[in-house]
């Protein structure tokens, strides 16, 4: 799996990659190619987001890893599932959709719902923007990296906000937080 997470370079162009991935539920024999394409797509989307982010360069590596890890945690890098002969967008029971399981209700009016459901590139781009927002405007702004645990706290805090909302920023380090939630973060 490590080879899929760590790409040599962003080789594929985003529209070509997305066109190949949209509507694709890979078989076991196609899994290597599928994961390679998703990794390439995520890498490109992350780089595009970083290029316009203003995020200090010392946090770029952390952000890149956060993009890959969030997509894996949320969907195992899947945008679509198969039910019988029908291919459908991956949906959770709480209204989250696609590759990055973006909550449709929370982000309505900001992101196009059809894009979140039907376009892996659109869903991934939206998530890259959301993750950057939570990293920069919550975890960094609140100084989570200055607490015991250092820079690793930025990942935990960013994912805690992503997973549970802005009020959950510090749940990973609070003593009364359920162990199951700490483990997620």
């Amino acid at each position: 799996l490590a080879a899929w997470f760590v790409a040599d370079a962003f080789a594929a162009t985003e529209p070509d990659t997305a066109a190949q991935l949209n509507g694709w539920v890979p078989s076991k024999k196609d899994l290597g190619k599928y994961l390679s394409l998703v990794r390439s797509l995520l890498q490109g989307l992350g780089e595009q987001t970083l290029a316009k982010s203003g995020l200090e360069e010392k946090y770029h590596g952390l952000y890149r890893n956060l993009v890959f890890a969030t997509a894996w945690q949320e969907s195992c890098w899947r945008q679509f599932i198969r039910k019988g002969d029908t291919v459908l967008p991956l949906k959770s029971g709480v209204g989250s959709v696609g590759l990055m399981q973006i909550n449709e209700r929370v982000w309505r009016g900001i992101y196009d719902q059809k894009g979140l459901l039907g376009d892996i590139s659109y869903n991934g781009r939206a998530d890259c923007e959301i993750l950057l927002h939570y990293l920069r405007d919550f975890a960094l702004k609140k100084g989570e990296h200055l607490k015991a645990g250092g820079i690793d706290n930025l990942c935990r805090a960013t994912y805690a906000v992503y997973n549970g909302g802005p009020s959950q920023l510090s749940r990973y380090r609070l003593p009364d937080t359920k162990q199951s939630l700490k483990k997620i973060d």
Side-chain angles (χ1 to χ4, degrees), residues 139-175:
L140 281 166
K141 188 173 186 177
K142 298 290 183 175
E144 289 298 309
H145 57 304
L146 304 175
K147 313 270 192 269
I151 198 165
D152 289 344
N153 290 348
L154 293 176
C155 286
R156 291 182 187 101
T158 301
Y159 191 75
V161 173
Y162 186 88
N163 186 261
S167 68
Q168 302 302 311
L169 176 74
S170 58
R171 77 176 181 191
Y172 71 92
R173 62 179 165 78
L174 299 176

Side-chain angles (χ1 to χ4, degrees), residues 25-90:
V25 179
S27 65
K28 281 187 179 183
K29 71 178 177 77
D30 292 330
L31 200 53
K33 180 179 180 183
Y34 175 84
L35 291 173
S36 179
L37 287 171
V38 174
R39 178 196 63 207
S40 183
L41 178 72
L42 288 170
Q43 183 179 9
L45 295 171
E47 292 304 318
Q48 289 172 11
T49 304
L50 277 175
K52 59 184 179 183
S53 72
L55 184 68
E56 287 183 63
E57 192 167 331
K58 66 182 176 182
Y59 301 118
H60 285 199
L62 180 141
Y63 171 78
R64 289 177 183 110
N65 290 333
L66 194 55
V67 168
F68 288 137
T70 301
W72 188 258
Q73 177 68 24
E74 294 296 324
S75 72
C76 294
W77 289 9
R78 298 175 301 156
Q79 175 77 15
F80 302 98
I81 59 168
R82 186 176 303 282
K83 283 199 176 188
D85 291 335
T86 307
V87 173
L88 300 168
L90 179 64

Side-chain angles (χ1 to χ4, degrees), residues 116-138:
L116 292 176
L117 286 163
D119 185 341
I120 193 170
S121 180
Y122 186 87
N123 190 286
R125 181 178 294 107
D127 184 68
C128 287
E129 293 170 359
I130 292 166
L131 279 173
L132 177 69
H133 168 59
Y134 288 154
L135 172 60
R136 185 183 54 216
D137 301 330
F138 288 87

